[in-house]
């Protein structure tokens, strides 16, 4: 549905039987997420425990809801939280076999249009019951993207007069109504007016503002939002017509411009510096009428324009951690970042793990060792205004891409790189995921080491191992062994054994959170390098780490919170 937040749309399913229908709908809306009842549905994007709580939370968050179940269940679940008409998301019930689409709530946020689209996708007619919608084929109070209704209450009265049979006169351009079966008359009392001019509400008028105005700002001025509002008022232009603020590129990272755009609820774009605000406005919207007002330039176009096509946006670069592999262990902020990404960079295995991706998302898979090159490539893309994601497994700050990305930025004197919106989003690191499966081996002080001597000398690794083992820290080994580094682990264990008893528990987690994961608990004496490969996490206990048998046959490993006083 154009203009709607399809990214966050939730398809809620109660049983495995409706998953096929959910998937068909997801093909039509690739950004929609399938929410499945935990224990009943396999293969959903999110699992939930309570249907009612989930539905209410989604509704309160304004997320469009497609529930694959009886309409009655949805009505009962939402009854307690039903909001004022006007501010609610679309809510629809769809029969689990896809044979019926019933729009329930959200007439003003486009539920009927969405119902028609879903009906089309499923090959059935939507059960539209809204009289205005049936009569006019559109909801007059919900103009298409690019247009904003001036006053909802006013509009409701207008539409009921229209439904009573009065004719209508259209002033200004309303291309979306060209095919609508409206009775028009030049001398009609009721007027549908489309224009940027600010006008007081009138009972006989349905006022719709095209989002066709851009304001070029001088970002050095204080209180930008207020100045823009005042300038628009002085020029007699409705604030609802404002689509875009245009600042100069050097101001890309200025919090004040971003705050102003947020406050005004408009898109923020940037154009090269070195010209006056009027010239900037004129260049951005060729042919628009430009009004200079109080150090700002207001450009009024003849029709709504796509603000995303004006100048350029601030690029974003997010370095994300996928967690060990399982979708449930990926943090929601990372999922949201993946959904908004235009470019995805990373080692091929991790990029594949982060999918599925949409056709419009560009994947740049590279070899695992080309970290700095990948980091620079990511900045080059983000500096063009793109939304870029660099993926790491586990946490991006633990032997992964975040440090490489920061190093690339630190080395660079390209101002465009420094203006990028850089975010590091954490993930569950392999040591933590492995520890959680084993119990709590990292319950007391521990030390994290990479045994790879690709990027540091082996002597440093040996020194650290020696000191950490001597300090009686639990040890977590990343990159314990590989084909190119066959002997290092054996040598590392020799160092550890100098300080630690052979009965010390060792946890070996392989492919944790991935298909075919294994978890083994052995003693330090039993541990052989052959038991370990590069997909294994090695956790070596301290003198206080213990193991006990769990009834299911597994063993729990933990390191107590306390430490015996030194004798
Ligand atoms: N950033 C990653 C670590 C990258 S180093 C993180 O935070 O987890 C790669 C090493 O991590 C591997 O050699 C292995 O020792 C460990 N590792 C990564 N994923 C793992 C998994 N799913 N199970 C066990 N060990 C894993």
């Amino acid at each position: 549905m154009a203009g709607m937040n399809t990214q966050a749309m939730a398809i809620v399913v109660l049983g495995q039987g409706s998953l096929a229908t959910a998937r068909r709908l997801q093909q039509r809306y690739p950004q929609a997420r399938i929410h499945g009842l935990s224990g009943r549905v396999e293969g959903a994007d999110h699992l939930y425990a309570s249907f009612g709580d989930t539905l209410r939370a989604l509704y309160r968050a304004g997320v469009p809801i497609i529930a694959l179940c009886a309409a009655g269940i949805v009505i009962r679940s939402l009854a307690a939280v039903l909001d004022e008409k006007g501010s609610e998301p679309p809510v629809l019930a769809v029969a689990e076999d896809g044979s019926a689409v019933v729009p329930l709530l959200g007439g003003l946020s486009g539920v009927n249009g969405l119902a028609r689209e879903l009906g089309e996708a499923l090959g059935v007619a939507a059960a539209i019951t809204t009289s205005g919608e049936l009569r006019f084929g559109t909801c007059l109070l919900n103009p298409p993207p690019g247009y904003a209704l001036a006053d909802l209450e006013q509009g409701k009265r207008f539409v009921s007069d229209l439904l009573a049979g009065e004719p209508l006169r259209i002033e200004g351009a309303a291309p979306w109504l060209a095919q609508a079966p409206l009775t028009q008359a030049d001398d009609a009392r009721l007027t549908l007016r489309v224009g940027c001019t600010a006008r007081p509400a009138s009972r006989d008028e349905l006022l719709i503002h095209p989002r066709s105005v851009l304001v070029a700002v001088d970002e050095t001025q204080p209180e930008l939002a207020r100045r823009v509002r005042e300038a628009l008022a002085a020029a007699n232009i409705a604030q609802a017509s404002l689509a875009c603020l245009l600042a100069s590129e050097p101001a890309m990272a200025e919090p004040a411009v971003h705050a102003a755009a947020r406050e005004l609820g408009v898109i923020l774009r940037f154009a090269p510096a070195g010209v006056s605000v009027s010239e900037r406005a004129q260049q951005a919207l060729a042919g628009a009428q430009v009004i200079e007002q109080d150090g700002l330039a207001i450009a009024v176009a003849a029709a709504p324009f796509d603000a995303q096509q004006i100048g350029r946006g601030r690029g974003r670069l997010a370095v994300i951690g996928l967690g060990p592999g399982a979708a449930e262990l990926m943090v929601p902020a990372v999922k949201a970042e993946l959904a908004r990404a235009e470019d995805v960079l990373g080692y091929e295995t991790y990029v594949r793990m982060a999918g599925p991706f949409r056709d419009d998302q560009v994947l740049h898979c590279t070899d695992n060792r080309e970290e700095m090159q990948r980091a620079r490539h990511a900045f080059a893309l983000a500096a063009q205004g793109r939304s870029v994601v660099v993926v790491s497994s586990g946490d991006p700050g633990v032997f992964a891409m975040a440090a490489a990305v920061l190093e690339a930025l630190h080395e660079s004197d390209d101002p465009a790189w420094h203006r990028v919106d850089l975010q590091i989003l954490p993930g569950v690191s392999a040591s933590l995921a492995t520890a959680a499966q084993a119990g709590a081996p990292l319950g007391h002080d521990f030390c994290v080491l990479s045994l790879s001597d690709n990027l540091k000398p082996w002597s440093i690794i040996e020194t650290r191992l020696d000191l950490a083992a001597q300090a009686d820290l639990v040890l977590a080994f990343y990159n314990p062994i590989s084909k190119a580094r066959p002997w290092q682990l054996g040598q590392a264990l020799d160092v550890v054994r100098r300080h630690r008893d052979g009965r010390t528990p060792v946890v070996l987690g392989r492919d944790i959170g991935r298909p075919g994961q294994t978890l083994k608990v052995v003693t330090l004496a039993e541990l052989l390098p052959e038991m370990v490969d590069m997909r294994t996490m090695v956790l070596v206990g301290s003198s206080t780490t213990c193991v006990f048998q769990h009834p299911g046959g597994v063993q729990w490993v933990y390191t107590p919170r306390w430490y015996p006083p030194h004798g």
Side-chain angles (χ1 to χ4, degrees):
M1 182 72 202
M4 196 187 306
N5 188 1
T6 50
Q7 182 159 320
M9 195 190 293
I11 303 173
V12 188
V13 301
L14 275 163
Q16 197 68 21
S18 24
L19 200 61
T21 305
R23 290 247 181 276
R24 282 168 73 192
L25 298 178
Q26 199 178 32
Q27 265 168 15
R28 176 69 183 72
Y29 303 102
Q31 287 171 323
R33 288 286 153 258
I34 298 177
H35 298 245
L37 179 58
S38 164
R40 292 270 195 85
V41 182
E42 258 174 53
D45 302 311
H46 296 287
L47 291 177
Y48 64 82
S50 154
F51 180 77
D53 291 346
T54 303
L55 229 55
R56 286 185 287 274
L58 290 165
Y59 178 87
R60 285 209 187 94
V63 177
I65 300 171
I66 302 170
L68 270 76
C69 63
I73 303 178
V74 182
I75 294 169
R76 262 181 248 287
S77 302
L78 291 180
V81 292
L82 287 185
D83 231 352
E84 286 286 297
K85 200 178 173 187
S87 60
E88 64 193 357
V91 178
L92 304 98
V94 172
E96 67 165 46
D97 62 358
S99 62
V101 177
V102 188
L104 294 171
L105 298 165
L108 295 173
S109 37
V111 74
N112 290 313
L114 182 55
R116 284 203 185 91
E117 284 181 7
L118 292 175
E120 250 165 54
L122 297 170
V124 297
I128 309 279
T129 55
T130 320
S131 36
E133 188 88 25
L134 287 171
R135 186 87 70 79
F136 311 129
T138 176
C139 176
L140 290 177
L141 301 181
N142 180 36
Y147 296 87
L149 183 67
D151 185 317
L152 178 60
E153 287 314 309
Q154 180 59 37
K156 285 186 203 164
R157 280 197 299 273
F158 184 91
V159 169
S160 53
D161 287 352
L162 211 56
L163 282 169
E166 281 204 49
L168 156 100
R169 187 156 54 101
I170 297 182
E171 273 190 20
W176 72 98
L177 295 178
Q179 307 299 325
L182 294 162
T183 313
Q184 297 189 36
D186 290 343
D187 59 349
R189 177 180 70 95
L190 299 177
T191 310
L192 188 151
R193 195 183 299 273
V194 184
C196 307
T197 311
R199 293 168 63 92
S202 135
R203 161 122 210 194
D204 300 338
E205 199 172 85
L206 185 69
L207 185 55
I208 292 175
H209 296 303
R211 308 211 1 125
S212 56
V213 174
L214 168 153
V215 173
V217 296
D218 171 358
E219 52 281 341
T220 59
Q221 293 178 337
E223 292 199 74
L224 267 185
R226 185 175 62 81
R227 296 176 71 97
V228 170
R229 267 197 298 267
E230 286 173 2
L232 289 173
N236 204 27
I237 292 172
Q239 205 195 306
S241 277
L242 181 63
C244 172
L245 282 194
L246 185 64
S248 75
E249 281 169 12
M252 242 180 213
E254 290 293 332
V257 245
H258 290 273
R262 224 177 3 253
E263 193 181 325
L264 294 165
V266 298
I267 285 167
L268 176 60
R269 304 291 292 181
F270 301 90
V275 294
S276 70
V277 283
S278 291
E279 284 166 320
R280 197 194 300 152
Q282 195 74 73
Q283 284 164 9
L285 269 184
Q289 174 202 356
V290 175
I291 309 161
E292 267 221 58
Q293 184 86 44
D294 188 26
L296 306 171
I298 304 171
V300 183
F305 56 86
D306 182 359
Q308 300 289 2
Q309 302 300 321
I310 302 288
R312 61 166 64 180
R314 183 183 187 194
R316 181 171 166 105
L317 171 50
V319 192
I320 62 164
L322 300 175
E328 306 90 87
L329 293 182
M330 191 190 287
V331 308
V334 165
K335 288 185 186 167
E337 197 65 43
L338 283 168
R340 72 185 275 183
E342 294 171 303
D343 294 277
V344 182
L345 289 82
Y347 178 46
E348 190 171 353
T349 313
Y350 301 150
V351 171
R352 231 182 286 123
M353 213 162 93
F357 292 101
R358 300 183 304 271
D359 290 346
D360 61 302
Q361 294 179 301
V362 187
L363 309 183
H364 310 261
C365 298
T366 48
D367 190 88
N368 207 9
R369 286 175 294 265
E370 299 162 0
E371 290 194 345
M372 288 310 289
Q373 211 176 310
R374 184 187 301 148
R376 291 190 203 103
H377 185 196
F379 270 111
L381 289 166
Q384 291 165 25
R386 299 181 65 85
S387 202
V388 182
V389 158
V390 173
V391 297
S392 287
S393 80
D395 182 90
V398 178
F399 310 122
M401 282 305 296
V405 163
L406 287 168
E407 190 177 338
L409 180 62
H410 194 188
E411 278 172 8
S412 163
D413 48 19
D414 184 338
W417 286 25
H418 287 270
R419 282 179 211 139
V420 164
D421 178 12
L422 176 62
Q423 304 282 333
I424 318 281
L425 302 181
V428 176
S429 192
S431 55
L432 305 182
T434 303
Q437 296 236 344
L442 307 179
H444 196 77
D445 299 346
F446 65 95
C447 172
V448 167
L449 290 157
S450 166
L451 295 192
S452 167
D453 57 353
N454 289 340
L455 300 168
K456 60 186 168 186
W458 179 251
S459 61
I460 288 282
I461 299 176
E462 269 192 339
T463 308
R464 289 181 182 172
L465 271 171
D466 191 41
L467 293 170
Q470 190 184 327
D472 201 22
L473 295 163
V474 173
L475 306 171
F477 297 155
Y478 285 76
N479 302 311
I481 199 166
S482 76
K483 286 207 181 71
R485 295 180 286 106
W487 53 264
Q488 285 86 336
L489 179 60
Q491 205 152 315
L493 294 176
D494 289 345
V495 176
V496 175
R497 286 185 179 117
R498 292 211 288 265
H499 304 282
R500 217 153 283 183
D501 195 291
R503 288 164 300 176
T504 304
V506 175
V507 176
L508 301 176
R510 184 173 192 270
D511 280 342
I512 293 298
R514 300 180 192 171
Q517 67 164 33
T518 59
L519 188 80
K520 268 193 232 130
V521 182
V522 297
T523 64
L524 183 56
E526 289 163 349
L527 178 60
L528 299 169
E530 297 86 86
M531 300 172 176
V532 177
D533 68 5
M534 64 181 291
R535 283 146 66 182
T536 310
M537 184 73 228
V538 181
L539 303 177
V540 180
S542 70
S543 66
T544 60
T545 303
C546 6
V547 180
F548 66 98
Q549 206 66 29
H550 181 258
V554 250
Q555 303 180 77
W556 283 125
V557 183
Y558 73 101
T559 307
R561 300 287 313 278
W562 49 265
Y563 203 78
H566 252 309

